[in-house]
Amino acid sequence: MVSLMFFGSSSYLCSSPSKNTKASLDFERKKVGPCTKLVRNVNLEKLKNNYLFPEITRRELEHVEKHPNVRLISLGTGDTTEPIPEQITSQMSNFAHALSTVEGYRGYGLEQGDKTLRQAIANTFYGNLCVKSSEVFVSDGAQSDISRLQLLLGSGVTIAVQDPTFPAYVDSSVIMGQTGRFHEATKTYQNVVYMPCGPQNSFFPDLAMTPRTDVIFFCSPNNPTGYVASRKQLHQLVEFAKTNGSIIIFDSAYAAFIEDGSPRSIYEIPGAREVAIEVSSFSKFAGFTGVRLGWTIIPDELLYSNGFPILNDFHRIVTTSFNGASNIAQAGGLACLSSAGLKEIRSVINYYKENRKILMETLVSLGLTVYGGVNAPYLWVHFRGSKSWDVFAEVLENTHIITVPGSGFGPGGEEYLRISGFGRRDDIIEASKRLQRFFNKRTKHFIFLSSASNNN
Amino acid sequence: MVSLMFFGSSSYLCSSPSKNTKASLDFERKKVGPCTKLVRNVNLEKLKNNYLFPEITRRELEHVEKHPNVRLISLGTGDTTEPIPEQITSQMSNFAHALSTVEGYRGYGLEQGDKTLRQAIANTFYGNLCVKSSEVFVSDGAQSDISRLQLLLGSGVTIAVQDPTFPAYVDSSVIMGQTGRFHEATKTYQNVVYMPCGPQNSFFPDLAMTPRTDVIFFCSPNNPTGYVASRKQLHQLVEFAKTNGSIIIFDSAYAAFIEDGSPRSIYEIPGAREVAIEVSSFSKFAGFTGVRLGWTIIPDELLYSNGFPILNDFHRIVTTSFNGASNIAQAGGLACLSSAGLKEIRSVINYYKENRKILMETLVSLGLTVYGGVNAPYLWVHFRGSKSWDVFAEVLENTHIITVPGSGFGPGGEEYLRISGFGRRDDIIEASKRLQRFFNKRTKHFIFLSSASNNN
């Protein structure tokens, strides 16, 4: 047995041979054990349901079990599907291989990230925006960054979020103890300010009606609506934050998909350095969803009410709760930001943009109301009067396509479905055909019911 | 400019051309900005000093600046130095390269980790101990795991730690709000139970004198003392936890260094599945300090006081605050756990063990009091009556060797220095020579002073 070979013969045997039989061990494991006296964290009790995306995965697996022979197509989780350009993978491959040499071996890196990579991030994404490498914190991705930012903020802050938005902001806030209980009727957590973003307000919050909070999470281009805030709107947001002494946590993970010249970083807005943290990621930009790499910017000028720099505390959090992103992933990140790397990445992003275009044309031709899909890889489809999990289930049952129900992103998403443009081209084309067949039939069915009703 | 090439010409220019000059931008950045109204997290205000290891790094850099021509030797941070066996790096290299192919590309993985890797971890380290792959949570290393466990626990729990011990347990507890203020006189945080571990009690806490806490952090083999708890002692610990309804967070990161048959996992102790979480790491075991990979075990039987399984909540934390360890690192982990991989890893561990032996022999021959250094890669050297930062500084100034002052691990470490056996052999040999020269001279100096004093 491998463990015996490595560790010696006695280390891994249960201490009493009579307990070693499979039957007795199974019994030991199955019996209902005594409880500890550890009281469950009340914040975890408040969490409503599973986190959204593992729930989608669960339903996907359930469906595949029920229909083992169908070709399930996922336009759901927003997972990248295109290979990473070889320009980039070869650098990671070489770096990994060099770890077996004296010259190439690397142990612990700086928790804040490799300095060259930090400088490359500052140059590439913030070239004229005065971001220093010391303000860049390399991470293993936005999800971890948001969690570490919540550790920084603590339980005593109030937050505002777009409604709908990426669910990790609210869920991490609940875990941190910033919120009250979940209110079933409104599908909201107490103490969180939800800023509706929908067709009624061009998907930008009415800030005049928004109460002050300490922190405003703002994702642009937005996941899931696909809307990107204009320069004018972001000016308003920055002014709103300044007036209220709030900080903005600006998620720019989808900036690479912007087509219309809208700002790609909050720091394009004057004054933002004094009110905003920016979080971003190599996931959707470079296909690093599995490789894991991202970054957060904390400007020097961002200060607590007592004048202490927030950057200092985030550095403390990062050095205590984290030990740096994988050095191989960081080598890949650096390769992404070379001229050749960026050129290759642009091709992949264009591929996803074309996917999104195909889906958009399909859905619009079917008479569906579709938002987003221009400056982001997501289409936000409106099914007026519906429950989004019902539409999700109906689409899944009838077309074997996974989408994401809008209510998973907040109460404002209830009548919507998010459809992702990430996918293999042939899947996108096949999905379009299935959606056409299904929605055409569905429309005829509704027309039939409508006629039948008129004839009675 | 690369950013312009990628993103277009206008996206990254400051909005007002007159603010674009370097001088005006420098001015903008240097001026003391207005504060936000965000109140600093009181928990971060409680933190005393920098986290230990970045502080060591800072002093190292300071020393190198002061003495640019010396060969600084680090026996400090515990960073691995030996190349990772090619058996393993080639797997990572191949996996990374395959990400540029349709067949080999992988996006998001399960947040809990690749199933095959989880099974391999369960088989290799817990083969006869009934750990299921569903109880294994793959991570980017123990430091992140401890932080996520603290998110799980919340602010309302009490903790006990060995004194001295790895500082992340206490620091993460402060950040989470579990502790009171730092007490300068005792160098302890209020509300934390410190369990002294020293020569007076064979480096195992006197549990009869230890108050109940919800959580007991226990590291064995211990960082920094190098002591490994015996089977009998761990029985006592498990019984203590059972009696008190506490949970043990058992850190087995150094298990691979055990020589004397002491338990390598808490689950070797009957009943541990009902009271213990185990955290471990590929860092010191496989040289993955930069690659980043670790794991946590949460047994099914581990229940809160209300009977709810702790595993379920940890799964929720992991899926919300994390997106999985890098898939390339996980491929490396799997290669580590093959028969061939384990064999290679054993050679590297033996290399560090030999280092430790050389250092041990040197220090003992100098008449120094040395603990540990048998079942762990650390030597715990006692300088009775001294302040550990003073000894650290004296050793650094006179031998250009970085160590770690014991007080960084808790008040019980005050008279000690931690010396690490991780290093290149030639550095270890050179360090031994320098230590011999220095301590011989230091002893003669004390003898001279003693004689001079007697003659007066």
Side-chain angles (χ1 to χ4, degrees), chain B residues 64-79:
Chain B
V64 162
E65 257 187 62
K66 211 165 125 188
H67 305 276
N69 298 320
V70 306
R71 176 179 157 194
L72 186 83
I73 295 178
S74 176
L75 303 182
T77 303
D79 197 3

Side-chain angles (χ1 to χ4, degrees), chain A residues 7 11-13 125 128 268, chain B residues 11-13 125 128 264 268:
Chain A
F7 288 115
S11 300
Y12 286 92
L13 299 175
F125 299 104
N128 289 0
E268 291 187 43
Chain B
S11 300
Y12 287 92
L13 300 176
F125 300 103
N128 288 2
R264 291 171 185 248
E268 291 188 42

Side-chain angles (χ1 to χ4, degrees), chain A residues 2-3 6-7 11-13 36-37 40 80 93 97 105 124-125 128 245 264 268 287 303 313 342 346, chain B residues 2-3 6-7 11-13 36-37 40 80 86 93 105 124-125 128 245 264 268 287 303 313 342 346:
Chain A
V2 158
S3 62
F6 184 66
F7 288 115
S11 300
Y12 286 92
L13 299 175
T36 65
K37 288 183 185 161
R40 191 183 182 206
T80 46
S93 183
H97 192 258
Y105 180 73
T124 307
F125 299 104
N128 289 0
R264 291 171 186 247
E268 291 187 43
L303 311 173
D313 273 354
L342 286 170
R346 170 160 257 182
Chain B
V2 159
S3 62
F6 184 63
F7 289 116
S11 300
Y12 287 92
L13 300 176
T36 64
K37 288 184 185 160
R40 190 182 182 207
T80 47
E86 207 189 350
S93 184
Y105 180 73
T124 307
F125 300 103
N128 288 2
R264 291 171 185 248
E268 291 188 42
L303 310 173
D313 273 353
L342 286 170
R346 169 161 258 182

